[in-house]
């Protein structure tokens, strides 16, 4: 380990410091819009590395941030002149098929988790982007293409190991489940990552999944947007719960993505018939193993824009024609091809699968989730000019503001930066209970960032 500060010598794990060659890569997040220079990045390999790093940070009075997949969209998983505790190298996986459980290291990303579970013939719900950290997705709620069949990722979280701040300047690892620290388990199911400690492992309920049918349908341009969207929102949240679907609408095309668990291609086509009847979409159907299908639809990170701005919204009533017209008009005026409006259907198991002990996730009865988002810039290329960045951020903000009268709440994993009432938007009626958990497990606010749970209100 190369050291730029004598006191950092006590840190363990793979420690990367500003003078190290790997520092530029180690400090970078997925969204290159943000640029922070931490004092050190500690890549923990064992729980003891996390305990040591957190203890060191407390005793030296430096800020701490928690990172797994590096996808925090507002860059809050890193900090200038502080310690980043990165768990991405903690990638163990142990599946007990007979018990229907899997215990995994908090460093697994979603693709790694789906692959590991798939090798054992089981699955748990995750988000759709494979490079996103599993722990971050789960602790904020976690939803994707198995959600209506099996509930939220957080609904399937049975236990966790978490390193918390203890005493005046120490840290300790505790196990959280229904019988131990049950109130903290409740909070971990939806409050968001980095609020109460550093999660180092998670135990999930898993289920056998024999096969899935993966359907995509594409309409070029925006001509059919209004009809496709109306058909989708009238159908997707109410169809057979084995099917979950998403819409991704951009300036150049509309794309439907759907997964049917344990069904046939003909059955999937029948369930999607009201949507596929609009226009003449190009339809593709794949019947196969879920882990292989999931791996197959991943987009290489190098092909994604370098910079992103997303805002999140939950919808509890069907969007009226006025709102659908706003979606169409904003997409028609998008500043880059990487801009889009994304939706994920809820309903099904989500509405009735709240786990034993409950969950802090507050949007269980939404019809669907949506986000306007802008992507721009090329990874490995020159930084985009400030004018384009400003246009993309303003477009996304204006888009979300225009739709605000029609939405109900926001998603902590896709933060609405600058929202003065973010706590209510994310956690609804659960805010006060979360503050009580914060006061119990992090009374000194060691884990704090721009929109963290605040014990003081």
């Amino acid at each position: 380990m190369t050291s730029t500060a004598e006191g950092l010598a006590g840190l363990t794990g793979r420690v990367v410091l500003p003078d190290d060659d790997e520092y530029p890569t180690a400090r970078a997040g997925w969204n290159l819009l943000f640029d922070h220079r931490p004092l050190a990045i500690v890549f923990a390999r064992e729980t003891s590395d996390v305990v040591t790093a957190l203890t060191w940070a407390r005793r030296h009075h430096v800020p701490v941030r928690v990172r797994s997949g590096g996808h925090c969209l507002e860059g809050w998983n890193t900090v200038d002149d502080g310690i980043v505790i990165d768990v991405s190298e903690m990638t163990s996986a142990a599946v007990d098929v007979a018990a229907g459980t899997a215990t995994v290291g908090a460093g697994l990303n979603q693709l790694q988790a789906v692959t590991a579970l798939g090798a054992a013939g089981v699955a748990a719900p995750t988000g759709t982007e494979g490079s996103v950290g599993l722990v971050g997705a789960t602790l904020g709620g976690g939803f994707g293409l198995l959600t209506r069949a099996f509930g939220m990722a957080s609904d399937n979280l049975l236990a966790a190991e978490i390193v918390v701040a203890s005493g005046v300047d120490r840290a300790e690892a505790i196990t959280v489940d229904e019988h131990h620290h049950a109130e903290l388990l409740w909070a971990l199911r939806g409050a968001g990552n980095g609020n109460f400690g550093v999660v180092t492992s998670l135990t999930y309920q898993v289920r056998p999944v024999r096969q899935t049918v993966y359907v995509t349908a594409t309409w070029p341009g925006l001509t059919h947007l209004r009809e496709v969207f109306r058909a989708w929102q009238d159908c997707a949240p109410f169809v057979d719960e084995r099917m979950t679907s998403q819409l991704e609408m951009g300036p150049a095309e509309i794309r439907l993505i759907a997964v049917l668990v344990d069904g046939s291609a003909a059955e999937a086509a029948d369930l999607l018939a009201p949507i596929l009847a609009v226009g003449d979409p190009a339809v593709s159907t794949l019947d196969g193993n879920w882990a292989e299908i999931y791996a197959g639809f991943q987009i290489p990170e190098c092909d994604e824009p370098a910079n992103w701005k997303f805002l999140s919204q939950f919808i509890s009533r069907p969007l009226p024609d006025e709102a659908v017209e706003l979606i169409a008009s904003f997409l028609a005026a998008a500043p880059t091809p990487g801009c889009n409006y994304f939706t994920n259907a809820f309903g099904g198991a989500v509405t009735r699968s709240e786990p034993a002990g409950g969950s802090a996730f507050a949007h269980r009865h939404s019809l669907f989730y949506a986000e306007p988002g802008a992507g721009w810039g090329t990874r490995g290329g020159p930084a985009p000019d400030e004018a384009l960045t400003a246009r993309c951020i303003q477009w996304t903000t204006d888009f979300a503001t225009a739709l605000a009268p029609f939405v109900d709440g926001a998603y902590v994993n896709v933060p609405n930066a600058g929202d003065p009432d973010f706590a209510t938007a994310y956690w609804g009626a659960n805010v006060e209970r979360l503050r009580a958990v914060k006061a119990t497990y992090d009374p000194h606010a060691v884990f704090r960032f721009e929109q963290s749970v605040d014990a003081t209100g």
Side-chain angles (χ1 to χ4, degrees):
M1 179 182 74
T2 303
S3 178
T4 58
E6 208 172 300
L8 290 167
L11 296 172
T12 62
R14 184 168 71 91
V15 182
V16 179
L17 305 176
D19 289 342
D20 294 336
D21 291 342
E22 62 265 44
Y23 182 78
T25 300
R27 72 183 181 91
W30 175 76
N31 188 355
L32 299 180
L33 184 61
F34 303 101
D35 183 27
H36 294 285
R37 297 189 64 84
L39 184 66
I41 303 112
V42 177
F43 289 90
R45 290 170 170 163
E46 299 178 358
T47 300
S48 60
D49 298 332
V50 177
V51 173
T52 298
L54 181 55
T55 300
W56 188 97
R58 296 194 72 195
R59 290 178 178 172
H60 290 82
H61 307 288
V62 300
V64 175
R65 295 293 170 91
V66 181
R67 191 174 72 179
S68 52
H71 278 250
C72 181
L73 293 172
E74 292 294 331
W76 297 336
N77 56 355
T78 184
V79 62
D80 292 327
D81 302 318
I83 296 294
V84 174
I85 302 177
D86 187 301
V87 298
S88 63
E89 296 183 5
M90 303 179 74
T91 57
S92 61
V95 181
D96 186 333
V97 175
T101 63
T103 298
V104 301
L108 288 182
N109 64 31
Q110 294 185 131
L111 175 58
Q112 291 169 325
V114 170
T115 301
L117 296 184
V122 298
T126 69
T128 54
E129 292 189 42
S131 62
V132 170
L134 178 68
V135 62
T138 299
L139 298 186
F143 53 84
L145 288 166
L146 299 183
T147 297
R148 298 187 72 255
F150 303 133
M152 310 292 294
S154 54
D155 293 341
N156 292 270
L157 180 64
L158 301 177
E161 181 185 72
I162 179 172
V163 177
V164 296
S166 62
V168 175
D169 62 359
R170 294 181 293 108
E172 64 174 326
I174 61 174
T175 298
V176 176
D177 58 28
E178 289 181 40
H179 307 292
H180 306 88
H181 308 285
E183 195 70 356
L184 181 53
L185 176 63
W186 170 85
L188 293 178
R189 292 168 168 165
N193 198 13
N195 273 301
F196 308 103
V198 186
V199 171
T200 52
S201 75
L202 310 101
T203 298
Y204 293 91
Q205 178 184 4
V206 296
R207 299 170 176 82
V209 175
R210 292 184 297 275
Q211 57 82 228
T212 54
V213 178
Y214 175 68
V215 181
T216 63
T218 305
W219 293 260
L222 298 174
T223 302
H224 294 292
L225 183 146
R226 297 159 185 82
E227 292 80 10
V228 170
F229 188 87
R230 291 178 190 126
W232 180 85
Q233 73 169 352
D234 288 345
C235 170
F238 310 106
V239 76
D240 186 316
E241 68 184 43
R242 291 173 300 145
M243 173 170 280
T244 305
S245 64
Q246 302 170 340
L247 277 183
E248 186 162 358
M249 295 158 278
E253 68 175 26
I254 305 157
R255 191 164 187 251
L256 168 73
I257 304 158
V259 167
L260 176 65
V261 177
D262 292 338
S264 67
E267 193 176 8
D270 184 61
L271 293 171
L272 294 169
I275 309 168
L276 300 181
V278 177
D280 185 24
V283 179
S284 173
T285 303
L286 181 61
D287 187 328
N289 174 276
W290 170 240
E292 293 175 358
I293 288 173
Y294 186 93
F297 64 65
Q298 298 303 315
I299 299 172
E301 186 171 307
C302 60
D303 293 339
E304 295 180 336
N307 303 318
W308 290 93
K309 178 67 175 180
F310 294 102
L311 292 168
S312 61
Q313 301 175 324
F314 286 98
I315 290 83
S316 57
R317 297 175 302 278
L319 292 185
D321 289 348
E322 176 186 356
V324 178
E325 289 294 334
L326 284 169
I327 295 168
S329 64
F330 270 92
L331 290 176
T336 73
C339 296
N340 62 35
Y341 183 73
F342 168 83
T343 65
N344 193 114
F346 274 29
V350 180
T351 63
R352 56 170 179 73
S353 65
E354 187 166 1
S359 162
F361 183 75
H363 306 288
R364 189 171 303 280
H365 296 287
S366 297
L367 292 178
F368 60 92
Y369 167 78
E371 61 189 31
W376 67 101
T378 303
R379 293 183 184 273
D385 64 75
E386 293 183 5
L388 177 60
T389 294
R391 285 200 306 275
C392 288
I393 293 174
Q394 191 63 54
W395 178 86
T396 308
T397 301
D398 291 346
F399 197 170
T401 300
L403 291 176
F406 309 102
V407 308
D408 181 20
Y411 187 34
V412 66
N413 281 354
V414 182
N416 292 350
D419 182 351
D421 195 22
F422 67 86
T424 301
Y426 299 148
W427 306 306
N430 294 325
V431 171
E432 291 306 317
R433 188 174 173 184
L434 284 170
R435 286 175 176 160
V437 176
K438 181 74 168 180
T440 300
Y441 289 94
D442 188 22
H444 302 293
V446 174
F447 297 96
R448 61 183 181 271
F449 51 92
E450 286 80 348
Q451 290 187 346
S452 54
V453 175
D454 183 356
T456 63

